[in-house]
Amino acid sequence: MLLGSFAAGYASPDRWFLGAGAMLAGVLWFTALGFGARLLGPLFARPLAWRVLDSVIAAVLLGLGLGLLCTG
């Protein structure tokens, strides 16, 4: 519904491509997410892998937070 109201703002007849592309992107994203989870399952059976992942996420969040502080 949100995508439909967003696409309705475009007067072009190509607005249907926006909806179709968004749906295709969603299907591809969640399919890749499922296959990626299955492939990375054995890797994340180890606690060290989770610590590394958590550290990367923390660094990204810290970088985003500092970026917002410096630009605001």
Side-chain angles (χ1 to χ4, degrees):
M1 187 162 58
L2 180 63
L3 181 63
S5 61
F6 175 71
Y10 291 97
S12 170
D14 294 337
R15 65 179 176 232
W16 295 106
F17 289 117
L18 175 71
M23 286 186 279
L24 179 63
V27 168
L28 289 175
W29 169 254
F30 287 112
T31 301
L33 199 61
F35 281 120
R38 186 171 55 161
L39 289 173
L40 293 175
L43 174 68
F44 284 105
R46 293 177 279 185
L48 178 63
W50 282 105
R51 276 189 231 118
V52 169
L53 178 66
D54 287 341
S55 298
V56 169
I57 291 171
V60 168
L61 290 176
L62 184 63
L64 286 171
L66 289 174
L68 287 172
L69 278 175
C70 292
T71 61

